[in-house]
Amino acid sequence: MEDTPFVMLKDENNLYQRAMAMAQMHNFQPQIILKLDSVVSAFNMACSGIGAAFIPDGLAKHIAYDVPLYFYRLDEKLSLRRIHFVKKRNKYMTRAMEEFIRIAVGDEVYETVSSEETE
């Protein structure tokens, strides 16, 4: 891995900060060749063979790619991030909003939360 080029997000990005903290925990210094604003751009650069990238698993699951890629799930607390979706009570939620949340949290979690709301 020491010779693997990495495409990372810019310093101020939370994913960059967490990736660097994980690397430091394992005494690893990634060879960063490019820093980008967008995780989708980093993913596309990895697809092009430019370098390895840290990407959220949701992106790997839901974006199309037609080149062979290797994905490694990181077993670190820093690889997890809690997010909250909030909406006003008794306000209409569009089908697009429901689908976005379902994709973001996964089918099993979404079904659990949806059934709790209707009770």
Side-chain angles (χ1 to χ4, degrees):
M1 289 290 294
E2 292 83 25
D3 297 329
T4 302
F6 277 83
V7 178
M8 300 288 262
L9 298 179
K10 291 189 175 178
D11 295 6
E12 61 271 10
N13 187 286
N14 181 267
L15 183 56
Y16 169 83
Q17 294 164 5
R18 291 183 292 133
M20 294 306 291
M22 284 185 272
Q24 185 176 16
M25 287 171 44
H26 295 281
N27 298 317
F28 172 68
Q29 181 64 41
Q31 299 302 312
I32 301 170
I33 59 167
L34 189 60
K35 290 185 181 177
L36 303 165
D37 290 310
S38 162
V39 69
V40 174
S41 295
F43 179 79
N44 287 331
M45 295 285 186
C47 287
S48 298
I50 293 173
F54 285 85
I55 63 165
D57 65 344
L59 182 64
K61 291 177 186 173
H62 297 288
I63 196 167
Y65 55 93
D66 58 359
V67 295
L69 296 173
Y70 295 99
F71 294 97
Y72 300 96
R73 183 176 294 275
L74 301 176
D75 189 25
E76 299 285 347
K77 287 184 178 183
L78 286 170
S79 69
L80 302 175
R81 186 167 157 183
R82 181 177 294 273
I83 62 170
H84 299 273
F85 294 101
V86 181
K87 76 171 193 71
K88 290 185 178 181
R89 190 173 295 157
N90 300 324
K91 293 291 181 181
Y92 177 73
M93 187 169 1
T94 67
R95 179 75 179 126
M97 292 164 66
E98 288 180 3
E99 186 66 10
F100 174 80
I101 293 170
R102 186 190 64 75
I103 290 170
V105 301
D107 289 327
E108 291 176 16
V109 174
Y110 182 74
E111 293 302 323
T112 302
V113 172
S114 293
S115 64
E116 289 174 359
E117 270 188 6
T118 58
E119 294 175 356

